[in-house]
Amino acid sequence: MKWPSFKTWISIITAVLVAVIIWQAWPNVVDAWHSLSQVNLWIFALLLPVQLASYAATGESLFSFLRARGELRGMHPLTAMRMSLEFNFANHMLPSGGAAGIAYTSWKLSTLGIAASRGTIAQLAKFGVTFLSFSIMLAVAGIHLLISGGGSTSVLWAAAGIGVLALVGVTLGVWIFGRRRLLHRAAGVVLRVARWGMRVLRIRKTLEAVTLVRFVDGLHLEVREIIAQPRTLVTPFLWSFVVNACDAALFWIALASFGVYPDPALVFVAYGVATVASMIIVTPNGVGAYEVVMVATFVSGGLDPSITIAAIVLARAVLLLGTIVFGWGFYQHSVVTAKAPGLSRRGTVA
């Protein structure tokens, strides 16, 4: 009997994960279906272009950094969009708090000749500038709510806490990757844990310490080069504002389709609180925690609970469906073929 290949196992596991996500979210899908009669479909239809714009901007915040480092020059816009949809599917649908998505994206970039260390740092840089712009926008939103009186004490404290947490996270990340010895020690711990796990599972394969050390050394050197040339982060930083604005706008549109037009500042704070909660909860796409936290923040800000629940549940169901529909095919094609996008005669990505 011939066992399925590794690629087949990956496809099967991903299909099971998607099925589990749909099963977990199914009650929300049913509730969303029943609430459609209350929706202005013309407004609600705006979710589709804004979601696609968010995915495209997320991709550009990554690709623009790599272009600044001399990679992916000449990439066709359609190829960039396709890869953005694929990466967003991996980041949102695979579990482990985004780690699986980072690993997948690094592998995909390696098929384009980008070193694993550079591909990983590119993603971490994308997250870093996104958190920075997120903190700036959150500070503006919090100040607006404080002046206008449109936010409760709990909402304002949540905004302040999350903003500080994002800044501390970025600063700590830069400090860690700037310490070579610390990275080597961390690599040693990872290697020992991995070897122990392989012994427990009786996997007969040798893990080379040299390969892991080279990888973390590459991360360290990449961070040093970024610090020496901070201009490479300017364009990704600007794109990150678009990403945050589009993601928050999705929920403003959902509420507006029910005839509720909340303060955009409150929407951004609710989006921020829910996003942090989904990062802590390692369920794929933050199913469950995201909705509860976002609704609680909106209700604390004075919105009607019943309408808010219906709008958020409906939006999350549709966005979940969009993530699967737009990204699944490209992800599956990459896993099955392990093929990079074709190169044009000039050596650029087609």
Side-chain angles (χ1 to χ4, degrees):
M1 178 179 177
K2 185 178 180 181
W3 285 92
S5 66
F6 178 73
K7 296 177 184 178
T8 302
W9 277 118
I10 292 294
S11 298
I12 293 172
I13 292 171
T14 306
V16 170
L17 288 173
V18 172
V20 169
I21 293 169
I22 295 174
W23 174 72
Q24 288 181 327
W26 190 250
N28 291 346
V29 174
V30 174
D31 292 340
W33 175 260
H34 292 315
S35 67
L36 278 175
S37 60
Q38 310 171 46
V39 175
N40 182 326
L41 294 179
W42 289 106
I43 296 178
F44 194 76
L46 294 174
L47 282 179
L48 177 60
V50 175
Q51 184 182 27
L52 290 175
S54 171
Y55 287 172
T58 301
E60 281 304 309
S61 65
L62 172 66
F63 300 145
S64 60
F65 172 81
L66 289 170
R67 291 191 198 103
R69 301 303 301 274
E71 309 282 1
L72 301 182
R73 294 187 180 276
M75 174 181 281
H76 193 281
L78 291 180
T79 300
M81 186 63 183
R82 185 189 78 190
M83 292 178 66
S84 297
L85 296 174
E86 181 181 345
F87 293 165
N88 274 279
F89 173 86
N91 282 317
H92 287 89
M93 306 308 289
L94 300 181
S96 72
I102 291 176
Y104 174 82
T105 302
S106 295
W107 166 78
K108 179 68 177 184
L109 292 173
S110 71
T111 66
L112 299 172
I114 298 173
S117 56
R118 176 161 294 183
T120 301
I121 283 297
Q123 294 177 78
L124 295 178
K126 180 194 73 173
F127 290 132
V129 295
T130 301
F131 288 154
L132 285 176
S133 62
F134 172 78
S135 298
I136 293 172
M137 297 173 75
L138 199 59
V140 173
I143 293 171
H144 170 77
L145 291 175
L146 183 63
I147 294 174
S148 65
S152 65
T153 303
S154 60
V155 171
L156 294 174
W157 274 112
I162 291 172
V164 171
L165 183 64
L167 290 174
V168 170
V170 173
T171 304
L172 184 61
V174 174
W175 181 81
I176 289 174
F177 284 105
R179 299 295 185 275
R180 188 177 182 184
R181 289 184 179 179
L182 183 60
L183 288 176
H184 283 184
R185 290 174 185 172
V189 173
V190 171
L191 188 62
R192 287 193 293 271
V193 172
R195 286 174 173 171
W196 174 82
M198 292 176 69
R199 285 196 301 270
V200 171
L201 297 174
R202 296 182 179 180
I203 299 175
R204 296 182 178 180
K205 188 175 181 179
T206 303
L207 291 179
E208 297 293 339
V210 175
T211 303
L212 185 57
V213 169
R214 286 176 179 172
F215 173 72
V216 297
D217 280 345
L219 296 178
H220 174 72
L221 292 174
E222 289 289 339
V223 169
R224 290 186 61 181
E225 289 182 15
I226 292 173
I227 294 174
Q229 297 180 326
R231 295 179 301 177
T232 57
L233 295 176
V234 173
T235 303
F237 182 58
L238 296 177
W239 274 113
S240 69
F241 282 98
V242 180
V243 173
N244 287 317
C246 287
D247 285 348
L250 291 168
F251 298 100
W252 189 92
I253 291 171
L255 288 163
S257 68
F258 279 82
V260 177
Y261 302 93
D263 190 325
L266 177 61
V267 175
F268 193 82
V269 172
Y271 155 74
V273 175
T275 299
V276 171
S278 68
M279 293 172 63
I280 297 173
I281 304 298
V282 297
T283 56
N285 208 33
V287 172
Y290 197 102
E291 295 84 355
V292 171
V293 172
M294 178 169 280
V295 169
T297 307
F298 276 129
V299 172
S300 297
L303 270 63
D304 181 82
S306 59
I307 294 177
T308 302
I309 291 172
I312 300 308
V313 166
L314 181 59
R316 284 285 285 171
V318 171
L319 296 175
L320 175 65
L321 178 63
T323 301
I324 295 173
V325 170
F326 293 136
W328 167 265
F330 297 130
Y331 168 88
Q332 190 64 26
H333 178 266
S334 291
V335 169
V336 171
T337 63
K339 183 180 180 182
L343 296 178
S344 69
R345 293 181 179 179
R346 295 181 181 179
T348 56
V349 183

